[in-house]
Amino acid sequence: MRSIWQTGIAAAAVALQLLSAMPAAASVKGYRQANEHAILTELAGLLAIPNVASDRENIRRNADALVAMMEKRGLKPRLLESSDAKAPPVVYGEWRVAGAKRTIVLYAHYDGQPTDASQWTGSHPWKPVLRDKPLYAGGTVIPMPQPGEKIDPESRLYARSASDDKAGVMAILAAIDALKAEGRAPAANIKIVFEGEEEAGSPHLADILGRHKALLKSDGWVIFDGPAHQSGRVQVVFGARGIIGADITVYGANRPLHSGHYGNWAPNPAMELSRLLASMKDETGRVLIKGFYDDVEPLGEAERRAIAEAPQVDRELQAALGFGQPEGGGQSLLALISQPSLNIDGSKSAEVGGKARNIIPTTATATLDMRLVRGNDYRRQFDKLVAHVRAQGFYVTDREPTAEERARYPRVAQVALRDGYNAERADMDDPFARAVTDAVRHAGIGPIVNLPSMGGSLPLYVIRNTFDVPSIMVGIANHDNNQHAEDENLRLQNLWDGIEAAAGIMTMTF
Amino acid sequence: MRSIWQTGIAAAAVALQLLSAMPAAASVKGYRQANEHAILTELAGLLAIPNVASDRENIRRNADALVAMMEKRGLKPRLLESSDAKAPPVVYGEWRVAGAKRTIVLYAHYDGQPTDASQWTGSHPWKPVLRDKPLYAGGTVIPMPQPGEKIDPESRLYARSASDDKAGVMAILAAIDALKAEGRAPAANIKIVFEGEEEAGSPHLADILGRHKALLKSDGWVIFDGPAHQSGRVQVVFGARGIIGADITVYGANRPLHSGHYGNWAPNPAMELSRLLASMKDETGRVLIKGFYDDVEPLGEAERRAIAEAPQVDRELQAALGFGQPEGGGQSLLALISQPSLNIDGSKSAEVGGKARNIIPTTATATLDMRLVRGNDYRRQFDKLVAHVRAQGFYVTDREPTAEERARYPRVAQVALRDGYNAERADMDDPFARAVTDAVRHAGIGPIVNLPSMGGSLPLYVIRNTFDVPSIMVGIANHDNNQHAEDENLRLQNLWDGIEAAAGIMTMTF
């Protein structure tokens, strides 16, 4: 096996000479091919440190390990602390380039979702193992490769955060290695932000950014997080939807009533809630709340084109998810997630099935979330919801109604606001956004998917509010990575592609 | 105190002589007034025996006590067993009258609802205590009266089954004592049926009646069970609604989906269920299921008049229950419970409030009950429900749908039948029914309430199917008796009235 390893190095060396005048990607690929074993070993070491944000001791061990990894690369690391000393720190590093007029922040997070080790199949969340293929395809554990041994790019590394998001951390650091090995410098100053509590909802991110505003000044952020597109292509995404949630409770009599003695007469809150919820959307899924779509900023030409050009995977997705008909009146998933939405997260009134009794329940509750796009304001969207509930004849309160209120009004609803924030989306025509797209597109990793926004929500507004710069997300992990669940995994080719994408972004000009 | 007691007895003796030519009631009242202490003592003794149907040892102790109580009265008791030896027996007794051409069955039940002793306020379910007034009015425990001591008829006996339904048992047995003390015989043969598992749903009643069909032959049953009217008047009720239940589950994707990435596109079963439920009733509560009211046998003249003449308590009830507007478009509670109904017992989809996550749930379930009136068939009513679900575009199955079914049909619902049975209601013009009404009306206990049917359900069809005779319910317990809950109680005047009503029925002619 040793000879193959050496042949690889020799080939890479020849390639490096040939490609010294070419863009970074080609040579980065050579570096990576020659160093797969070292990269994989370094990543596996990082994955062996438990990384739940609330596990203060271990999360500090992660931060310390990252400081050491940055030191080794000359990135002048330091920990950026929150005003809350218990919060996981941001691990910061930088590569300043003499004469560079631009600055890019590269972001990834080193914490992972909490997980129950007993739910994992044949391995442990913080004891990384390699499998020859995915578990769902019958993959079995294979030995970690020896130095120089050829590594199948289809093999998968199983561990918590293998993909979400220590893959992002490793892609950035290995790309720096590749550039340094080549003796090349980025075109812009590079600042690195590794967050330690993204999976806990980034409760201290705004605080940390605010405390280090000057240090973190830049022309734009690139967020290495999230999966590649379902088609397998790396995706570059220019925003995320905002979100606002609400708990709606509807009230009936002040005690559960015998449905025989009082049914047809005493009001049934489960029925009233059903009617209220049904009034909110038509059969195609279009939201009927007055003015719901009014504030939406229309997508530009570039955004519409990007959606039209993205691979269509709706049919395959629907087959995998096993349902018979999507909402949306024939619009594609991508078109639909570019609009504001209203979703029922759950509903409950008394009990069902074996626990049910023949009663008229006293209350019925639904929890909703509404996703927002650019132009929406989360407080305004919530107000529209409240106005809709009023328009259906409900007296609306934001707390538990009093007995007097319940007795006085024909229909009573409590509508309680949950957390919310606005959408954030960079224009695709923004020079920084365009540069990132071009850099990933020409990174030598094949065609990419370009999307105006993801359907989910991220607090990107924190970056916009603090620095007024765009944030662009680059999703590299395999989409079937079991993100947030047990048996999280990373397909190695996705990491290799991520390294080339990161190097491409670092060397871009804009 | 002894002197008062003896004065009472003397007065009663005089009254008996004076009233020997009058209807039974007046003299029954005298007997009761002279024997309140003995009646109360005997009832308290019976209430001291725990009486949950599933508590086999204690339920047999109750049956044995009742046998002894019947022996003492010469009622030739026997236990009627089910084919399931574990089932509580019916305690049967009889008072045959030479030459009588008619036979009446008097029914009550000796079991009670299970209860948690720790939930009781200052007393124990099976350690009866007397209070000077109801707990909710600040009632406090008073000593059990000494023989001859005057007993306040507003005082209340607190114990499990004090009202439901050992009050019925005691009313029947004390009425027999009164008649016997007077040397009077009923006009018809009297058969007594004390059931031991009514609160468990009477699972063996049909079996026991079928096994003793000849023994239990009669012209009609009088069911001493249930409360008096909310106005305080004893009520005579000619039937009960039937009931049929259903669990409806609606399906979405085969796993919970991120509401941001898939919301607006993947179907939301909680929304689909809301729409389906909302389609079943209009805003006034009228059921929109096709043909829902078609089979209803219209009420006769006597029934309509009885409803019109019943005391109107809707406004007071609504105030006590604390809601702002009843269903029914202005119809009264009594008019509404004479119609078939549809009620949501409970609903559930994923989680709400603090437990909610931003997901699209995979399923949503509602449990419904439908009450039936004469003319409805419970299987036909269920079929109408299923047809309605189909008409809303659902593929309907009666079991968990397969993955293939879920993938194939735009909307999928499982509609599972729960137990059901038909309504049973005697004509008010039926001679037996009229005789019972007249007997109670003239029992000397003031005006009564006469209702065609109660809103709740009882398996009266078992009696109709086995014997083809009517069953008439006589409700004597105070309506605020905390039936089925902790702190169950009996207002003594209600027991006194019940004794006179029972004696009136035993001596009626028809």
Side-chain angles (χ1 to χ4, degrees), chain B residues 93 344 353 358 499:
Chain B
I344 305 175
N358 294 323
I499 295 167

Side-chain angles (χ1 to χ4, degrees), chain B residues 52-130:
Chain B
V52 176
S54 59
D55 176 0
R56 286 174 58 194
E57 188 179 333
N58 278 314
I59 210 75
R60 288 272 159 187
R61 288 180 57 213
N62 277 273
D64 294 344
L66 288 170
V67 165
M69 288 161 76
M70 284 187 179
E71 284 285 6
K72 195 171 71 178
R73 291 164 169 95
L75 299 176
K76 300 172 189 155
R78 49 186 283 205
L79 299 182
L80 308 187
E81 302 282 353
S82 146
S83 48
D84 176 357
K86 292 178 190 164
V90 158
V91 183
Y92 171 84
E94 59 182 31
W95 184 356
R96 289 194 190 258
V97 178
K101 296 204 171 83
R102 305 286 184 179
T103 301
I104 309 170
V105 173
L106 301 179
Y107 166 99
H109 64 88
Y110 62 89
D111 67 312
Q113 279 277 328
T115 187
D116 175 356
S118 72
Q119 298 296 308
W120 285 59
T121 311
S123 73
H124 184 280
W126 291 290
K127 291 177 185 161
V129 297
L130 206 60

Side-chain angles (χ1 to χ4, degrees), chain B residues 117-278:
Chain B
S118 72
Q119 298 296 308
W120 285 59
T121 311
S123 73
H124 184 280
W126 291 290
K127 291 177 185 161
V129 297
L130 206 60
R131 289 180 192 270
D132 54 355
K133 47 192 174 184
L135 263 173
Y136 64 75
T140 55
V141 173
I142 54 176
M144 280 287 179
Q146 295 298 313
E149 190 177 344
K150 187 172 161 52
I151 303 176
D152 181 354
E154 293 299 329
S155 59
R156 296 190 177 209
L157 190 58
Y158 277 77
R160 168 54 84 231
S161 293
S163 60
D164 179 20
D165 182 32
K166 286 179 174 173
V169 168
M170 201 63 231
I172 292 167
L173 295 179
I176 289 169
D177 290 337
L179 295 180
K180 295 213 164 188
E182 244 189 299
R184 299 178 64 205
N189 296 309
I190 302 296
K191 296 179 177 177
I192 298 169
V193 167
F194 291 152
E195 189 189 0
E197 53 173 4
E198 196 271 348
E199 299 294 357
S202 301
H204 302 91
L205 185 61
D207 176 48
I208 295 177
L209 300 191
R211 287 160 61 98
H212 301 92
K213 205 168 161 174
L215 178 69
L216 295 172
K217 197 168 181 305
S218 77
D219 297 286
W221 285 48
V222 180
I223 313 277
F224 278 85
D225 193 11
H229 189 256
Q230 293 97 340
S231 62
R233 304 183 189 178
V234 166
Q235 63 184 347
V236 179
V237 183
F238 298 83
R241 291 199 284 189
I243 186 169
I244 172 74
D247 292 312
I248 301 182
T249 299
V250 167
Y251 297 82
N254 54 21
R255 59 181 176 87
L257 294 176
H258 189 289
S259 67
H261 297 320
Y262 299 100
N264 312 33
W265 178 73
N268 186 310
M271 180 57 88
E272 290 196 1
L273 181 64
S274 295
R275 197 174 287 126
L276 176 60
L277 294 171

Side-chain angles (χ1 to χ4, degrees), chain B residues 3 8 20 24 39 52 82 146 208 222 255-256 288 341 347 411 440 446 498 510:
Chain B
S3 62
S20 58
I39 297 167
V52 176
S82 146
Q146 295 298 313
I208 295 177
V222 180
R255 59 181 176 87
L288 300 173
S341 73
S347 64
R411 289 176 185 153
V440 181
F510 61 101

Side-chain angles (χ1 to χ4, degrees), chain A residues 241 254 259-260 264-265 268 275 282-283 320-321 327 341 343-344 346-347 349 353 359 367 369 371 406 411 455, chain B residues 241 254 259-260 264-265 268 275 282-283 320-321 324 327 341 343-344 346-347 349 353 359 367 369 371 411 455:
Chain A
R241 290 200 283 189
N254 54 22
S259 67
N264 312 36
W265 178 73
N268 187 310
R275 196 174 289 126
D282 72 12
E283 299 220 343
L321 296 173
E327 287 188 355
S341 73
N343 177 65
I344 305 175
S347 64
S349 181
I359 56 156
T367 296
D369 76 74
R371 303 283 173 169
R406 289 173 66 167
R411 290 176 184 152
Chain B
R241 291 199 284 189
N254 54 21
S259 67
N264 312 33
W265 178 73
N268 186 310
R275 197 174 287 126
D282 73 12
E283 298 221 345
L321 297 173
E327 287 189 356
S341 73
N343 179 65
I344 305 175
S347 64
S349 182
I359 56 156
T367 295
D369 76 75
R371 303 283 172 168
R411 289 176 185 153

Side-chain angles (χ1 to χ4, degrees), chain A residues 433-444:
Chain A
R434 223 163 31 198
V436 173
T437 311
D438 288 346
V440 181
R441 180 173 286 138
H442 300 124

